[in-house]
Amino acid sequence: MDHGRRDELLGRLAEAVGSVAVAHPTRVAVDGPPAAGKTTLADELAVVLREQGRDVIRATIDDFLFPRAQRYPRGEYSAEGCYFDTHDYGALNRVLLDPLGPGGDRLFQPAVYDRTTDTVLSAPVTTAPADAVLVFDGVFLMRPELIDRWELRILVSTALEKTVDRAVVRERQVSSRADVERRWRERYIPSQQFYFDTVRPTDHVDIVVHNDEPQQPTWEDHEALRKGRRSVVR
């Protein structure tokens, strides 16, 4: 298998991380639909950054879910529920993103919830070095509650039909094809369409990674444009 294009992408992303000049840890968002390949890309980027000598904090939105009893007031297949009721953004900002941001004390917790046991966690508090990198993957990371918390914003884009096929393969041990397809078509895909229509994440990110073919990704670099806009805003 030819990994050249993938390695080129990871080199570009690592270069973008390295170009961030702040006096606190660099917070990197890896956004995208479920089964787009966010977690894999974030894991690979973390490896590259560690090889470059960076201290990497690897975290995910899946560890900032509300407990299951709170997540489904609108029903298990509700797209609105997926968008509005699933993630504890208050806790995410309080224990992870704000401590690592400007004016933060760098005392952070990487998780507040264990999805496998459906239990609230009290993770140990750790101190991040000032030059650490947070590589954080998840859905809906450009929404208003989080948009200002990132120094680098990456969107992993995949045709939504492809995510259904990937999910069926990924979850075949725990869910039937019919259940996976129902969850994707009724809950996940409509919630992503709502997110793209209302938040327009592609307008906010620095790099869009097209990941339909993971070993032959393509990408669009918005970083210079974004930085220009941000400096105008300031």
Side-chain angles (χ1 to χ4, degrees), residues 20 30 37 45 50-51 53 57 76 78 86 91 97 113 137 145 148 150 156 173 177 180 185 188 203 205 214 218 229:
V20 175
V30 183
L45 177 59
R50 286 180 180 129
E51 287 172 349
I57 302 158
E76 194 163 339
S78 165
T86 303
L97 299 183
Y113 173 80
D137 75 277
E145 297 91 332
D148 296 329
W150 313 111
V156 183
Q173 305 296 335
R177 181 180 191 100
V180 172
R185 296 192 190 289
Y188 294 145
D203 290 351
V205 298
T218 60
R229 283 193 190 166

Side-chain angles (χ1 to χ4, degrees), residues 25 55-57 95-96 99-100 104-110 123-133:
D55 188 306
V56 177
I57 302 158
V95 308
L96 183 61
L100 299 182
D105 58 12
R106 305 203 311 272
L107 295 169
F108 74 93
Q109 290 170 281
V125 175
T126 310
T127 304
D131 64 348
V133 181

Side-chain angles (χ1 to χ4, degrees), residues 14 16 54 61-62 91 106 137 140 148 156 162 178 210 228 230 234:
R54 298 298 292 265
I61 198 70
D62 289 343
R106 305 203 311 272
D137 75 277
F140 310 140
D148 296 329
V156 183
K162 272 195 183 291
H210 297 282
R230 284 179 197 157
R234 287 195 185 113

Side-chain angles (χ1 to χ4, degrees), residues 28-191:
V28 180
V30 183
D31 190 11
K38 304 180 299 298
T39 303
T40 300
L41 183 65
D43 286 344
E44 292 172 338
L45 177 59
V47 168
V48 171
L49 293 170
R50 286 180 180 129
E51 287 172 349
Q52 294 179 352
R54 298 298 292 265
D55 188 306
V56 177
I57 302 158
R58 185 67 185 87
T60 176
I61 198 70
D62 289 343
D63 295 334
F64 289 89
L65 297 173
F66 285 116
R68 187 173 175 81
Q70 291 173 245
R71 285 207 301 273
Y72 300 104
R74 304 170 209 241
E76 194 163 339
Y77 296 96
S78 165
E80 293 84 3
C82 184
Y83 189 78
F84 290 109
D85 306 324
T86 303
H87 303 103
D88 191 344
Y89 300 110
L92 172 57
N93 285 329
R94 186 174 65 253
V95 308
L96 183 61
L97 299 183
D98 289 348
L100 299 182
D105 58 12
R106 305 203 311 272
L107 295 169
F108 74 93
Q109 290 170 281
V112 297
Y113 173 80
D114 184 335
R115 191 176 194 173
T116 54
T117 57
D118 188 34
T119 52
V120 174
L121 291 178
S122 189
V125 175
T126 310
T127 304
D131 64 348
V133 181
L134 170 67
V135 179
F136 191 92
D137 75 277
V139 293
F140 310 140
L141 298 187
M142 300 303 125
R143 57 186 292 160
E145 297 91 332
L146 304 178
I147 185 69
D148 296 329
R149 271 32 183 232
W150 313 111
E151 279 70 54
L152 184 68
R153 302 159 181 177
I154 300 163
L155 179 70
V156 183
S157 173
T158 305
L160 292 175
E161 275 304 311
K162 272 195 183 291
T163 71
V164 179
D165 296 335
R166 289 181 189 175
V168 167
V169 172
R170 188 176 76 183
E171 302 192 17
R172 63 182 179 274
Q173 305 296 335
V174 290
S175 299
S176 70
R177 181 180 191 100
D179 184 57
V180 172
E181 289 208 359
R182 183 179 177 194
R183 261 185 294 132
W184 248 253
R185 296 192 190 289
E186 293 185 26
R187 182 175 172 88
Y188 294 145
I189 289 178
S191 71

Side-chain angles (χ1 to χ4, degrees), residues 200 202-205 222-234:
R200 302 181 66 87
T202 48
D203 290 351
H204 302 293
V205 298
H222 303 172
E223 191 180 13
L225 176 63
R226 291 276 83 72
K227 281 185 173 170
R229 283 193 190 166
R230 284 179 197 157
S231 63
V232 168
V233 169
R234 287 195 185 113

